[in-house]
Amino acid sequence: MPIIKNGIEICSLEDWELRAGPKSQNQWVDGRSAKEVARAWLGLNGSEFPVEVQKTMNSHAAFASVHEWVAEPEAKLSFDSFPGEPRNSDLVVYAKDAFGEFLVAVEAKADEPFGETLPDALASALERYVQNTRSNGVTRIQQLAVALFGPRQNGEPALNDIRYQLLTATAGALCKAKEKELDRAVLLIHEFVTDKTRDEKHDANARDLNSFVARLSHGAVTSVQPEYLYGPFTVPGLPLLSTKVNLFIGKAIRVLRKV
């Protein structure tokens, strides 16, 4: 199935690096997420997803084997009307199975963290606002929290424990699904365990993902296990999302370590 960027099909790692590679050359190396996600999705035979991704999808009764898909790397996913650069998803896949069309927003990780915590992101946004009162960063974070979480319930993780990148990734997936009139959106963490990654960082990412999903699901899901898809979750939606999109979250792991 085709991987396309700006109307041009990507057929090799060289194509991917040229048209959708990371800004920093030192990120495009074996064993790190930018190059490994490209290798995983380019090296396919037939029409299904990478084996570990398809296994994750097949774990849920709301999905069947994919028979058609097209993907865009470094896809821009807007989730609000504020000016500025939209967030980039590592890969957005538009797929069809026996139940119809759906979207998968892939966040590739070796052992890189899910960005800043919400308090750090809010502090940075406030600094920008002090410098320029036209900055919308603080309002953006407020809208994301209201649209995805709603009020905290007893025992749920505090916002202090939530990673900002998981909010923007989820909001981007939901809003793009709404734009395309799709009723299923999947946020998929595609993790790569390599000779260049550290297990303690993988563990930290797992804890951060668990905290996010526990807060999002109001405690219905507290642990995201590899190769399982969870959901559907519904979020408050407003002010970012005015129609219901069924949200699913999962993690697929590809082990590339030689030892």
Side-chain angles (χ1 to χ4, degrees), residues 181-197:
E181 299 182 340
L182 306 175
D183 63 2
R184 291 177 294 165
V186 179
L187 174 64
L188 181 80
I189 311 304
H190 200 174
E191 182 177 86
F192 299 90
V193 178
T194 79
D195 292 334
K196 296 182 179 178
T197 65

Side-chain angles (χ1 to χ4, degrees), residues 116-238:
E116 303 172 287
T117 62
L118 268 179
D120 286 344
L122 188 59
S124 297
L126 189 56
E127 290 284 7
R128 293 193 298 273
Y129 181 80
V130 170
Q131 295 292 325
N132 176 8
T133 56
R134 292 178 297 175
S135 172
N136 296 298
V138 173
T139 304
R140 170 172 282 154
I141 294 171
Q142 290 174 330
Q143 288 188 354
L144 281 165
V146 170
L148 296 181
F149 296 140
R152 184 187 184 196
Q153 298 180 9
N154 289 338
E156 292 178 5
L159 293 180
N160 288 351
D161 302 324
I162 306 299
R163 295 280 174 173
Y164 181 57
Q165 188 183 96
L166 288 167
L167 274 76
T168 59
T170 301
L174 287 169
C175 289
K176 179 58 72 172
K178 175 197 168 188
E179 176 190 324
K180 297 290 187 180
E181 299 182 340
L182 306 175
D183 63 2
R184 291 177 294 165
V186 179
L187 174 64
L188 181 80
I189 311 304
H190 200 174
E191 182 177 86
F192 299 90
V193 178
T194 79
D195 292 334
K196 296 182 179 178
T197 65
R198 295 167 56 185
D199 289 341
E200 57 267 32
K201 291 186 176 182
H202 288 297
D203 292 342
N205 279 352
R207 289 192 297 271
D208 288 336
L209 182 60
N210 289 343
S211 293
F212 173 74
V213 175
R215 180 63 186 262
L216 183 97
S217 69
H218 297 294
V221 177
T222 58
S223 179
V224 177
Q225 297 300 311
E227 297 185 343
Y228 282 92
L229 197 63
Y230 297 84
F233 305 115
T234 56
V235 299
L238 293 175

